[in-house]
Amino acid sequence: RKTSFIPKSREICGFRIHGQNVPFEAVVLDKSTGEGVIRAKDKLDCELQKEHTFTIQAYDCGEGPDGGNMKKSHKATVHIQVNDMNEYSPVFKEKSYKATVIEGKKYDSILKVEAVDADCSFQFSQICSYEIVTPDVPFTVDKDGNIKNTEKLNYSKEHMYKLTVTAYDCGKNRASEDVLVKINIKPTCKPSWQGFNKRIEYEPGTGSLALFPSMHLETCEEPITSIQASIMLETNHIGKGCDRDTYSEKSLHKLCGASTGTVELLPAPSNSANWTVGLPTDNGHDSDQVFEFNGTQAIKVPEGVVSTTLKEPFTISVWMRHGPGSREKETILCNSDKTEMNRHHYSLYVHNCRLVLLLRQEPTESENYKPAEFHWKLDQVCDKEWHHYVLNIEFPAVTLFVDGATFEPFLVTEDYPLHASKIETQLTIGACWQDLSGHDNDTETLSETLTGGSALMTQYFRGNLAGLMIRSGKLENKKVIDCLYTCKEGLDVQLPEEVASAVKVEFNPNQSSLTLEGDDIESFEKVMQHISYLNSRQFPTPGIRHLRVTTTVKCFNEETCISVPDSEGYVMVLQPEEPKISLSGIDHFARGAAEFESTEGVTLFPELRIVSTITREVEVEVEAETETVVSEEIMHNLDTCEVTVVGDELNGDHESLEVDLAQIQQRALEMSSSNVGMVITGVNTMANYEQVLHLIRYRNWHTEALFDRKFKLVCSELNGRYISNEFKVEVNVIHTANPMDHANNAMVQPQFINQVQHASVDLSGHNLANMHQSSVVPSAATIVIVVCVSFLVFMIILGVFRIRAAHQGTLRDQENGKENEMDWDDSALTITVNPMETYEDQHSSEEEGDEEEEESEDGEEEDDITSAESDSSEDEGGEQEDQQGSSRQQQLEWDDSTY
């Protein structure tokens, strides 16, 4: 920069700059004129210092040659501004940028990118624009660096976008390096339970199974003040509303402690209880046996099954499933006149979703009104679900329990006692018995009187019934009532100590649902994670149990702020390993007739063994094979063992099956018998059933015409769900000849008599069905005499053959007699052989030897002894001996000439 200082009489010699670190200098260009220039000492940097300010002063050359008396000018201020050059490019403040957005929303700004420029001037230091370099992305960026989406984002389409963004300053310089921007797409936040498996497999016998071990609640960051959840396990399709032991109702009453005086009115069809035959059932043994009544079916209970008198307290219990019905009465149980008057003595029926008990008192001295009908209005009667009903009747009071809860009648009507009569009654189920030969206007309404026929059913029931029982005496123990309907499966929860007080837990009676309430989400989730499913049955019913979680949450304003959808899944109970019940023991033996006729009889199953096994697949690596099957013995209960006669039914006049009733009762079992066999019932161990079956005896006190008897034994568990093999036993009768005095047989040793009378020979595995061929009867002896006399001449001619045959028979019969340790007493018997029949049947007749004369005397002596032994040997032999027995019998004829 040029400056000029001109004093009047002197020249300007130079300039002086005042200031520190001033990067400038002043140079004189013309001393006479005082013109000079200010120039930079070095290169200037606007970014380091944009402006410079300093003072400058001129001085002359002075006087004289030495420049004395130099003069200075005044000081002048200099301002210098450094002009900028666009030498720097924009630079982003961050190396990368990240952001997360929720799908389905358009944002005004998702995030802001920012770049800076090191230039000092406004023009070159300002960022004038940003640009997204990545093509075809649904985002845009404005001049301020704000990035936003141009359309609603979809998580299913893209989880994350990667963008490259650059910047420009106002001098059009581009950023030296572009920046990476990551935008994550988050699914729409939906409040719900997370970590819930829809299918949960339950293996029988494993105890409790956690249902929600990893469950947590997504609240979408909403401020929650309270939370309530209901967990429901749907088991209505299993049995009678859930999984229970499928023993007979009578057995269940015993297990629950209510065994005295219990009568089962809907038993499973059997030989001893066949009145339920023909009723439709569930046709399966995995669950309880359920009887269906469709409005056209009813059954009559035989006389003598129920002996309960109405004068004493009694109990009626039943399982029932019933939906909304017609306006007509639907009878569950009815006891009415068998003929003529059609009076209902007592009945239990459903009418307009009401349960009604009719109880008419018997004639008394007083004819006053007395309570006769008890009405309960119940939702359970028409909800198409299974419910357990117990009525404790102690006239005039009646107490009703429905699923263990007590209900009082809302209406009780009174009536006169019944008129005295000698008419027998008929007990029916599913309808009321009505005879149309007479009417009782006193007790029957017009709607109960039908036309057509002489005896009909009326007031048919439509629904399902099971376990209908009548029991003498009241069932007052609440624990017993709860035991009768309590499920063997349900929900369970073990509360951690640290959260036990923070969350309130309530169960319904059968533990098929529970409710949780709390205000702390973390504690609430811990309790949810400890909820489990438990099935305590050894052999549970397999199949699906649906599971549902319903949740309600509240915010600070005590209102429902977010909606949590229901979570649904199911528990799959796997098929249990089915046990194979095996019965084994001695299946064929023989006993003497005297044992059958004794008071003790013959034990049928002396060495019976009951074993139950299951088959498992075990993973074992054997030569590239990883599975093998193993059989494992297990222990479980039995509830029925039935002994059945194979063949003709038992004749009560001379035979029976017997067992020690004291031993039966000691093991809490029951026994019923008929002409087809014996049934032992009751839930008990296999060992106890073994002991009782060892005691079953067969007696027959007229065994003359008896040669064998066959029996079949079958045991079962869970009301026939698992059935054993058919164990068949055949017992044979060994007949012995009666000892008699005979003059021609004095040589027989008497010690054989007692041995024959008391012998009991085990012939297991042999067929003795033809023993009756060697029986001794007087009529046959008479025929033998005639035949022997007629062919006496031939005895002399063919004596040789007789001696030969007798000798061979002696050797064979002695050998068989030793095997069976039995001998016949022939002291009173003389046997004569028909020589003609011997000639026809004897295969060795063509062989003749010189020893005939030597053996003639000995052969005649041995013939009398060994002939009887031959008969005994035939009785004890196998099939081959049976085939030979008929030919030997043709050889032998009895000599009864001395009778």
Side-chain angles (χ1 to χ4, degrees):
R1 181 174 181 180
K2 293 181 179 181
T3 60
S4 178
F5 294 89
I6 306 175
K8 293 182 177 180
S9 59
R10 299 181 183 181
E11 294 181 346
I12 300 300
C13 283
F15 300 96
R16 182 175 296 171
I17 297 176
H18 298 278
Q20 294 181 354
N21 301 324
V22 177
F24 296 97
E25 63 182 359
V27 180
V28 177
L29 296 179
D30 188 349
K31 291 182 177 182
S32 62
T33 61
E35 183 179 355
V37 63
I38 298 176
R39 60 186 181 187
K41 296 178 181 179
D42 296 309
K43 291 182 179 181
L44 299 177
D45 191 347
C46 177
E47 285 72 30
L48 292 178
Q49 189 169 349
K50 191 176 180 180
E51 292 182 351
H52 296 272
T53 301
F54 56 89
T55 60
I56 188 171
Q57 188 177 35
Y59 60 91
D60 60 13
C61 296
E63 297 177 356
D66 54 356
N69 196 23
M70 183 180 59
K71 301 292 183 179
K72 297 180 183 178
S73 69
H74 67 278
K75 294 180 180 179
T77 301
V78 178
H79 295 278
I80 298 176
Q81 182 175 353
V82 181
N83 291 330
D84 187 24
M85 294 180 62
N86 194 7
E87 55 187 316
Y88 292 98
S89 297
V91 176
F92 287 95
K93 288 185 175 181
E94 304 290 339
K95 293 183 178 180
S96 64
Y97 292 87
K98 294 181 181 180
T100 300
V101 296
I102 299 175
E103 66 172 345
K105 292 178 64 177
K106 289 191 68 174
Y107 292 83
D108 294 333
S109 177
I110 296 176
L111 79 162
K112 182 179 181 179
V113 295
E114 187 176 359
V116 295
D117 196 311
D119 290 317
C120 65
S121 65
F122 178 82
Q123 178 183 4
F124 299 136
S125 65
Q126 296 298 312
I127 307 300
C128 284
S129 65
Y130 293 89
E131 181 182 346
I132 297 176
V133 180
T134 307
D136 301 325
V137 290
F139 299 93
T140 186
V141 59
D142 61 17
K143 64 178 182 177
D144 296 324
N146 294 308
I147 298 176
K148 63 181 181 180
N149 55 320
T150 58
E151 62 183 42
K152 293 181 179 180
L153 304 177
N154 191 335
Y155 176 80
S156 61
K157 181 178 179 181
E158 193 71 46
H159 293 359
M160 183 180 68
Y161 289 91
K162 295 181 179 180
L163 313 176
T164 301
V165 179
T166 191
Y168 293 91
D169 61 20
C170 293
K172 301 299 180 180
N173 265 6
R174 180 174 174 172
S176 57
E177 290 185 6
D178 299 337
V179 71
L180 177 64
V181 179
K182 296 180 180 179
I183 300 178
N184 293 306
I185 311 303
K186 185 179 180 180
T188 303
C189 183
K190 298 178 181 178
S192 62
W193 287 104
Q194 304 292 326
F196 174 57
N197 293 327
K198 290 188 176 181
R199 177 186 172 94
I200 305 165
E201 291 189 353
Y202 180 80
E203 184 176 350
T206 56
S208 296
L209 174 66
L211 297 176
F212 320 112
S214 304
M215 203 172 190
H216 68 277
L217 181 62
E218 174 60 62
T219 61
C220 297
E221 301 181 357
E222 289 285 345
I224 304 300
T225 59
S226 67
I227 180 171
Q228 177 179 351
S230 297
I231 298 90
M232 290 170 286
L233 182 72
E234 297 179 5
T235 60
N236 295 334
H237 60 292
I238 304 295
K240 297 191 293 287
C242 65
D243 212 1
R244 296 181 174 90
D245 284 329
T246 56
Y247 297 118
S248 68
E249 197 68 20
K250 192 170 185 178
S251 296
L252 291 175
H253 274 67
K254 279 189 175 182
L255 291 175
C256 291
S259 59
T260 306
T262 302
V263 178
E264 192 170 7
L265 299 183
L266 283 176
S270 63
N271 293 327
S272 58
N274 58 1
W275 60 87
T276 56
V277 174
L279 275 180
T281 66
D282 60 355
N283 295 322
H285 296 294
D286 281 349
S287 57
D288 302 304
Q289 190 164 31
V290 174
F291 294 94
E292 179 183 357
F293 294 83
N294 59 11
T296 61
Q297 298 152 324
I299 57 174
K300 296 192 296 183
V301 180
E303 295 183 9
V305 173
V306 178
S307 58
T308 303
T309 62
L310 303 183
K311 296 180 181 179
E312 299 176 357
F314 67 99
T315 302
I316 299 175
S317 63
V318 64
W319 284 95
M320 180 177 69
R321 179 171 60 186
H322 182 266
S326 63
R327 296 182 179 179
E328 299 177 356
K329 296 180 180 179
E330 299 180 44
T331 299
I332 301 170
L333 177 68
C334 180
N335 187 32
S336 59
D337 287 339
K338 184 176 290 187
T339 58
E340 300 179 8
M341 302 184 72
N342 293 329
R343 300 175 303 174
H344 294 184
H345 292 249
Y346 65 87
S347 67
L348 182 65
Y349 62 90
V350 174
H351 189 209
N352 290 335
C353 295
R354 299 178 183 180
L355 185 68
V356 183
L357 174 68
L358 171 67
L359 185 61
R360 299 294 302 277
Q361 290 300 298
E362 299 297 330
T364 57
E365 295 181 359
S366 61
E367 294 295 331
N368 297 330
Y369 273 101
K370 294 185 177 180
E373 279 190 339
F374 301 82
H375 297 250
W376 292 270
K377 190 172 183 180
L378 304 169
D379 295 335
Q380 293 89 331
V381 172
C382 294
D383 64 2
K384 294 185 180 180
E385 302 291 345
W386 279 105
H387 297 285
H388 185 244
Y389 301 84
V390 176
L391 291 99
N392 273 331
I393 303 164
E394 187 176 18
F395 192 82
V398 178
T399 304
L400 172 66
F401 294 88
V402 181
D403 297 335
T406 307
F407 291 86
E408 295 295 332
F410 81 95
L411 176 64
V412 178
T413 61
E414 295 183 343
D415 204 345
Y416 283 109
L418 295 173
H419 297 159
S421 70
K422 297 183 179 180
I423 301 174
E424 296 182 351
T425 59
Q426 176 64 60
L427 184 61
T428 56
I429 300 172
C432 261
W433 177 263
Q434 180 162 301
D435 181 77
L436 299 183
S437 59
H439 303 285
D440 182 12
N441 297 330
D442 168 80
T443 61
E444 297 296 321
T445 65
L446 184 60
S447 62
E448 296 172 345
T449 304
L450 303 181
T451 58
S454 59
L456 296 174
M457 295 284 188
T458 185
Q459 301 176 6
Y460 283 98
F461 181 78
R462 294 174 178 83
N464 297 100
L465 299 176
L468 180 57
M469 307 284 290
I470 287 187
R471 177 181 181 270
S472 59
K474 293 174 61 177
L475 197 60
E476 296 179 342
N477 193 333
K478 184 66 165 55
K479 292 184 178 180
V480 174
I481 296 175
D482 291 342
C483 174
L484 290 175
Y485 83 93
T486 299
C487 297
K488 293 294 184 179
E489 65 176 341
L491 299 174
D492 191 19
V493 60
Q494 299 295 330
L495 292 178
E497 294 182 0
E498 63 271 17
V499 299
S501 60
V503 180
K504 180 181 179 182
V505 181
E506 292 183 355
F507 285 90
N508 71 334
N510 60 1
Q511 291 191 297
S512 63
S513 68
L514 61 87
T515 302
L516 306 180
E517 291 185 8
D519 52 13
D520 181 67
I521 294 182
E522 184 177 353
S523 299
F524 201 94
E525 290 176 345
K526 285 184 178 180
V527 175
M528 289 289 292
Q529 293 167 5
H530 284 79
I531 295 175
S532 60
Y533 170 79
L534 175 64
N535 194 316
S536 60
R537 293 189 64 191
Q538 187 176 9
F539 306 108
T541 304
I544 292 176
R545 278 75 163 163
H546 289 284
L547 194 64
R548 179 190 297 268
V549 180
T550 303
T551 310
T552 303
V553 296
K554 291 183 179 180
C555 298
F556 287 101
N557 54 6
E558 294 297 327
E559 295 181 358
T560 302
C561 51
I562 60 174
S563 177
V564 180
D566 293 351
S567 298
E568 296 185 357
Y570 61 92
V571 177
M572 171 59 76
V573 179
L574 302 179
Q575 179 74 38
E577 294 168 334
E578 297 190 359
K580 180 181 179 182
I581 306 173
S582 301
L583 309 179
S584 61
I586 300 175
D587 60 357
H588 197 170
F589 58 91
R591 296 290 184 267
E595 289 194 41
F596 289 91
E597 297 177 357
S598 67
T599 57
E600 294 298 326
V602 173
T603 302
L604 291 181
F605 313 106
E607 298 183 16
L608 178 71
R609 284 273 293 132
I610 304 177
V611 177
S612 183
T613 58
I614 58 175
T615 302
R616 296 181 184 271
E617 290 186 358
V618 182
E619 293 186 0
V620 179
E621 294 185 2
V622 179
E623 297 180 358
E625 294 184 1
T626 59
E627 290 188 359
T628 183
V629 176
V630 297
S631 182
E632 177 182 342
E633 183 174 345
I634 63 170
M635 301 300 296
H636 58 78
N637 291 329
L638 298 176
D639 60 0
T640 302
C641 280
E642 184 172 4
V643 182
T644 309
V645 180
V646 178
D648 296 336
E649 297 180 352
L650 294 173
N651 189 334
D653 294 336
H654 62 266
E655 60 179 341
S656 65
L657 286 175
E658 299 178 358
V659 69
D660 189 348
L661 292 179
Q663 295 291 332
I664 293 282
Q665 296 172 356
Q666 182 179 348
R667 292 167 175 81
L669 298 174
E670 291 188 359
M671 185 274 295
S672 62
S673 60
S674 64
N675 56 351
V676 296
M678 175 184 294
V679 180
I680 299 175
T681 58
V683 180
N684 218 313
T685 63
M686 293 187 292
N688 279 337
Y689 264 94
E690 266 189 14
Q691 296 172 5
V692 170
L693 292 172
H694 288 168
L695 303 175
I696 295 180
R697 309 181 304 274
Y698 170 66
R699 288 186 60 204
N700 191 313
W701 44 95
H702 292 296
T703 59
E704 292 83 357
L706 179 67
F707 304 100
D708 60 60
R709 253 311 194 180
K710 297 179 181 179
F711 300 90
K712 178 179 67 176
L713 173 64
V714 176
C715 295
S716 64
E717 163 70 334
L718 293 173
N719 205 20
R721 179 176 175 184
Y722 302 118
I723 303 176
S724 73
N725 61 307
E726 291 186 354
F727 179 63
K728 294 182 179 179
V729 171
E730 180 178 348
V731 56
N732 300 112
V733 183
I734 301 175
H735 290 280
T736 60
N738 294 326
M740 296 183 180
D741 295 331
H742 199 284
N744 296 330
N745 294 285
M747 297 176 62
V748 180
Q749 297 180 4
Q751 62 266 24
F752 292 111
I753 297 177
N754 291 335
Q755 295 177 5
V756 172
Q757 290 177 346
H758 299 285
S760 177
V761 183
D762 188 353
L763 299 179
S764 177
H766 296 279
N767 184 5
L768 305 182
N770 296 323
M771 289 193 302
H772 62 281
Q773 295 178 356
S774 61
S775 300
V776 180
V777 292
S779 59
T782 304
I783 297 174
V784 171
I785 295 173
V786 176
V787 173
C788 291
V789 173
S790 302
F791 293 94
L792 184 61
V793 177
F794 294 98
M795 284 181 58
I796 300 173
I797 299 173
L798 301 177
V800 175
F801 298 101
R802 182 185 66 79
I803 295 172
R804 181 68 174 176
H807 179 66
Q808 292 179 351
T810 299
L811 295 177
R812 181 167 57 252
D813 295 338
Q814 285 178 345
E815 182 178 355
N816 291 334
K818 291 179 181 179
E819 290 179 10
N820 298 286
E821 300 178 4
M822 298 182 63
D823 293 291
W824 290 90
D825 178 13
D826 61 348
S827 59
L829 303 176
T830 301
I831 301 175
T832 306
V833 179
N834 187 335
M836 292 302 293
E837 293 180 355
T838 304
Y839 178 80
E840 295 173 358
D841 297 333
Q842 187 64 37
H843 296 290
S844 61
S845 61
E846 296 179 359
E847 300 177 1
E848 296 181 2
D850 295 336
E851 71 272 24
E852 295 171 353
E853 295 180 0
E854 298 175 2
E855 297 174 354
S856 60
E857 294 181 358
D858 295 336
E860 291 176 359
E861 179 179 345
E862 293 174 357
D863 188 31
D864 293 338
I865 298 176
T866 59
S867 296
E869 295 175 349
S870 177
D871 287 349
S872 176
S873 299
E874 287 179 30
D875 291 343
E876 301 169 9
E879 295 181 357
Q880 182 178 359
E881 294 175 345
D882 290 339
Q883 296 174 357
Q884 298 174 357
S886 60
S887 63
R888 290 201 303 270
Q889 188 180 16
Q890 293 176 358
Q891 298 175 21
L892 304 177
E893 301 289 345
W894 293 97
D895 180 9
D896 60 347
S897 59
T898 59
Y899 285 19

